[in-house]
Amino acid sequence: MYVSDRLKNMAESATIKMAQLARELKSQGHEVISLSLGEPDFDTPTHIKEAATKALADGYTKYTPVPGLVELQEAIVTKFKRDNKLDFDKNQIVVSNGAKQSLANLSLSLLNEGDEVVIFAPYWVSYKEIIKLSGAVPVYVHATIDNDFKITGSQLEAAITDKTRMILFSSPCNPTGTVYTKADFEPLVAVLEKYTDLLIVSDEIYEYINFLEAGHFSIANFDSIKDRCVVVNGFSKGFSMTGWRLGYMAAPLWVAKACAKMQGQFTSGANAFGQKAAVDALLGDMTPTREMNQTFRKRRDLVIGLLKDIDGFKVNFPEGAFYVFPNISALYGKSADGKVINSSADFCEYILYTAHVAIVAGSAFGADDCVRIAYSASEEQLEEAMRRIKKAVEALV
Ligand SMILES: Cc1ncc(COP(=O)(O)O)c(C=O)c1O
């Protein structure tokens, strides 16, 4: 008996592993502050929960069409028009069990063994594994904190080969919080215009957690490439609906059809009453989403202010999501109790066991000189966590 090579080649999710270690420490009676998970710490807004309850009572308990309830597809079309000035037909929308499944659908439906996918690094942990599952090869383009974790046109061009099928990135970005503006995209689009066979997958799941005055800008707004863009989005972050498992994509029709075919054999349509409530999320009162945004923004300012005060931490000023991604490589070579810290994983382990704060090693996101801190916690918890981290860092020799 054995597990598949496919599984053997798959890394365990570093964020889930860190959360597990934190839970273990907690169960031993330690007061652990967990800043490791990519999950808003708010409940789903009441009107969305009520819509789900009503949908259950109204009999939304059966299989739905594989690409989603027509009324949700239509609500998504309306949302794209309203928020992004993007025009899609409802047949271009595929609703899935989370944006994660949307990405898995894309990978499994479109990629062959040996195809290459250019991924902007630092990247969200699952991109790499989801791409590898299809037999395709992830190719990384690395951005650093000195450039606010934004990649340049020449970096992108250097990564493209005749095997490249797709490029994949998130903005706002997990893990860096980086938000690409229209101006940031322009040099990248200039490159993409030359490679007309490439599909551009834009993961916009943090769209509503964006602190820029100008708001969110989708790369699909560039007319020259819009027909090759797939926009992935979902309900987990902006509406605090992580446990509902609902995401979606808007894609060229042939891509949407391919993904629906794939999903039809795996999971079918996403859950019926959740989809019905998701219509209310998109078309109903957005005040709770705006309030969450404001709360995250205040916390971002708080955390950045406190991190700047820690020697050895280099921080930038992320404009979205709920993560900061400081560079801590200045601390490498230092030690505590004779144990030398040589990597982001060493540092996170040290912080977990010394300060009882769970954060995630940058190596999981393709940047071993950084760590990811999720500020989806109360201001009191964040202040206490930063105080503990500072104390632990000051104890290093
Ligand atoms: C960049 C990014 N994309 C996609 C997802 C997956 O979201 P969902 O809960 O909709 O599967 C996450 C969740 O952490 C994410 O950070």
Side-chain angles (χ1 to χ4, degrees):
M1 305 262 250
Y2 52 84
V3 299
S4 68
D5 294 343
R6 202 174 297 113
L7 188 78
K8 277 189 221 150
N9 289 333
M10 186 182 273
E12 196 185 341
S13 162
T15 46
I16 293 174
K17 195 169 157 197
M18 198 35 130
Q20 173 65 23
L21 286 178
R23 264 195 298 276
E24 275 169 32
L25 262 186
K26 258 185 204 162
S27 71
Q28 292 162 15
H30 297 291
E31 203 208 304
V32 178
I33 302 176
S34 184
L35 307 181
S36 63
L37 266 190
E39 176 160 72
D41 54 318
F42 307 104
D43 196 2
T44 303
T46 309
H47 72 281
I48 305 174
K49 293 205 286 187
E50 285 171 358
T53 312
K54 179 167 183 318
L56 267 176
D58 289 348
Y60 281 83
T61 56
K62 305 289 188 197
Y63 288 132
T64 65
V66 172
L69 284 178
V70 172
E71 50 195 309
L72 179 54
Q73 288 178 304
E74 285 171 350
I76 292 168
V77 167
T78 303
K79 175 252 174 256
F80 274 118
K81 218 183 278 285
R82 179 192 69 198
D83 297 347
N84 314 104
K85 297 187 178 56
L86 289 172
D87 284 317
F88 291 106
D89 183 82
K90 69 175 184 320
N91 295 325
Q92 293 180 267
I93 310 295
V94 181
V95 178
S96 300
N97 295 295
K100 208 176 227 180
Q101 189 184 17
S102 307
L103 293 164
N105 281 339
L106 286 166
S107 175
L108 294 174
S109 316
L110 305 181
L111 300 171
N112 282 326
E113 196 83 24
D115 285 346
E116 291 179 357
V117 177
V118 172
I119 295 178
F120 296 8
Y123 48 77
W124 178 47
V125 280
S126 293
Y127 289 162
K128 180 179 175 183
E129 301 306 325
I130 288 173
I131 297 303
K132 274 166 41 191
L133 205 53
S134 67
V137 181
V139 174
Y140 307 111
V141 183
H142 291 274
T144 66
I145 199 163
D146 299 319
N147 201 24
D148 273 330
F149 297 108
K150 291 173 186 171
I151 72 156
T152 63
S154 51
Q155 277 184 300
L156 176 61
E157 184 137 36
I160 295 172
T161 72
D162 55 5
K163 292 193 182 136
T164 312
R165 293 283 319 281
M166 206 184 258
I167 72 156
L168 170 59
F169 64 92
S170 61
S171 173
C173 173
N174 178 3
T176 60
T178 290
V179 178
Y180 281 77
T181 62
K182 183 174 187 222
D184 295 327
F185 278 133
E186 271 162 4
L188 307 184
V189 171
V191 172
L192 293 169
E193 281 169 356
K194 292 194 251 170
Y195 298 91
T196 52
D197 279 345
L198 289 190
L199 210 59
I200 298 135
V201 180
S202 174
D203 180 345
E204 303 182 15
I205 194 153
Y206 293 93
E207 166 177 15
Y208 294 127
I209 311 174
N210 179 337
F211 315 129
L212 284 175
E213 199 79 1
H216 180 73
F217 185 84
S218 171
I219 195 169
N221 281 110
F222 286 93
D223 283 343
S224 58
I225 55 161
K226 71 171 187 226
D227 293 343
R228 294 186 278 130
C229 287
V230 179
V231 180
V232 172
N233 206 325
F235 296 87
S236 288
K237 317 291 176 174
F239 300 99
S240 203
M241 290 169 66
T242 46
W244 293 59
R245 308 311 304 127
L246 275 178
Y248 57 90
M249 73 169 81
L253 195 54
W254 68 275
V255 173
K257 279 190 174 156
C259 290
K261 181 175 172 189
M262 180 62 65
Q263 181 165 299
Q265 293 298 8
F266 270 95
T267 56
S268 303
N271 96 75
F273 53 91
Q275 288 192 62
K276 185 77 173 100
V279 174
D280 284 68
L282 289 179
L283 304 185
D285 183 10
M286 296 281 286
T287 310
T289 293
R290 279 193 288 272
E291 285 172 355
M292 287 189 253
N293 177 306
Q294 287 309 308
T295 305
F296 279 131
R297 186 194 184 122
K298 266 180 78 187
R299 292 174 180 173
R300 185 264 323 253
D301 294 346
L302 173 74
V303 168
I304 293 291
L306 294 170
L307 286 177
K308 276 191 174 153
D309 198 33
I310 304 179
D311 270 353
F313 269 61
K314 185 174 184 179
V315 286
N316 69 328
F317 199 68
E319 294 286 7
F322 40 80
Y323 308 106
V324 290
F325 203 62
N327 183 308
I328 47 121
S329 59
L331 301 171
Y332 295 174
K334 295 195 174 219
S335 59
D337 295 332
K339 205 167 170 239
V340 186
I341 289 172
N342 279 324
S343 67
S344 55
D346 290 349
F347 182 76
C348 291
E349 196 182 314
Y350 171 66
I351 291 298
L352 180 64
Y353 291 106
T354 311
H356 295 156
V357 177
I359 55 177
V360 188
S363 51
F365 310 96
D368 195 26
D369 47 0
C370 297
V371 291
R372 190 189 76 174
I373 300 175
Y375 51 86
S376 51
S378 69
E379 287 187 23
E380 295 72 40
Q381 282 178 312
L382 292 169
E383 274 170 1
E384 173 62 11
M386 297 309 122
R387 191 191 62 73
R388 290 190 202 172
I389 292 175
K390 183 173 161 70
K391 190 167 164 226
V393 169
E394 282 170 358
L396 292 171
V397 287

